[in-house]
Amino acid sequence: NAGVTQTPKFQVLKTGQSMTLQCAQDMNHEYMSWYRQDPGMGLRLIHYSVGAGITDQGEVPNGYNVSRSTTEDFPLRLLSAAPSQTSVYFCASSGPTNYGTDYGYTFGSGTRLTVV
Amino acid sequence: AQSVSQHNHHVILSEAASLELGCNYSYGGTVNLFWYVQYPGQHLQLLLKYFSGDPLVKGIKGFEAEFIKSKFSFNLRKPSVQWSDTAEYFCAVNNYGQNFVFGPGTRLSVLP
């Protein structure tokens, strides 16, 4: 089925470890983004991309890196995990342009990350 | 900077009760408005959106929302809720060329 695929669904990390959350979409969407969801705070934008080779920071980028080498993939890297990064992470995409305005976002199913 | 507030953190209703969830945003220019729903354990799904035109927007599953520009509001309504409407609801805004800003969410619990 077409959509946004996130892996893994669950992950436990130790403080200081690094890892990559994967996000792939097969809808040829230009816009992709990463959000973290924390109780009472809604969704906060970490990083986003308006096309292959183009990325930019969102509201809470510290501690995370992204790259966009292809239209399909937008991985999120945690460089040195901290307990404050315990959260649920959602990847979202939209096409063709306008940051999701025209069509809204298609969300992935999320990754629940716990850092101990 | 844009911001979105939602009036209630948690709403508890009985089946068949009417629902209204408040959403206010702060932005002086033209905005596009959205409501998303997140069922337990699932990802966010689009309920409805407003770009322009008729300020009363109808979405999926019997939901509707009314845009009141003078009040910077975009409240979500449903005449009669069902147990299956139990979920978290997020209001979001953006304007062209900007990212979405999401509200903190309202958790709705519908008692059978």
Side-chain angles (χ1 to χ4, degrees):
Chain A
N1 291 334
V4 179
T5 303
Q6 284 185 242
T7 56
K9 292 191 183 302
F10 301 95
Q11 184 71 51
V12 178
L13 289 178
K14 293 183 179 179
T15 298
Q17 286 185 313
S18 62
M19 79 159 295
T20 299
L21 308 186
Q22 301 291 345
C23 176
Q25 52 90 10
D26 57 3
M27 298 170 285
N28 201 32
H29 283 174
E30 291 186 6
Y31 178 89
M32 296 185 74
S33 56
W34 277 101
Y35 285 85
R36 59 178 289 173
Q37 183 181 24
D38 301 291
M41 303 187 75
L43 281 79
R44 293 182 292 168
L45 181 65
I46 304 171
H47 286 284
Y48 66 97
S49 167
V50 297
I54 306 170
T55 64
D56 207 344
Q57 296 180 351
E59 181 185 356
V60 288
N62 292 342
Y64 307 95
N65 271 357
V66 292
S67 60
R68 186 93 180 270
S69 56
T70 67
T71 300
E72 294 78 19
D73 299 298
F74 191 46
L76 177 73
R77 296 182 188 85
L78 278 70
L79 308 173
S80 177
S84 61
Q85 293 179 303
T86 293
S87 186
V88 180
Y89 292 84
F90 286 99
C91 179
S93 73
S94 182
T97 56
N98 287 330
Y99 294 70
T101 296
D102 294 331
Y103 304 101
Y105 287 167
T106 299
F107 281 90
S109 56
T111 296
R112 186 173 293 275
L113 175 69
T114 302
V115 183
V116 297
Chain B
Q2 299 177 45
S3 67
V4 179
S5 62
Q6 293 183 235
H7 301 175
N8 306 99
H9 176 64
H10 188 192
V11 173
I12 302 173
L13 295 173
S14 298
E15 277 194 312
S18 64
L19 170 71
E20 181 161 1
L21 301 182
C23 170
N24 286 90
Y25 65 93
S26 65
Y27 184 70
T30 301
V31 294
N32 303 296
L33 299 152
F34 302 78
W35 275 97
Y36 283 85
V37 60
Q38 185 179 28
Y39 297 104
Q42 297 189 25
H43 59 278
L44 277 77
Q45 304 171 45
L46 183 65
L47 263 183
L48 49 79
K49 59 186 178 183
Y50 171 80
F51 291 169
S52 63
D54 188 344
L56 186 61
V57 179
K58 294 193 184 301
I60 62 172
K61 304 188 180 187
F63 285 92
E64 65 180 30
E66 184 175 14
F67 170 53
I68 302 179
K69 188 176 182 179
S70 61
K71 294 185 178 181
F72 298 89
S73 70
F74 189 55
N75 292 354
L76 181 72
R77 300 196 291 246
K78 186 171 184 179
S80 176
V81 295
Q82 302 172 320
W83 177 79
S84 58
D85 293 324
T86 294
E88 191 153 16
Y89 293 81
F90 294 90
C91 182
V93 303
N94 82 339
N95 63 344
Y96 287 100
Q98 301 293 327
N99 287 292
F100 277 57
V101 175
F102 286 86
T106 296
R107 186 156 64 100
L108 173 65
S109 299
V110 180
L111 307 177

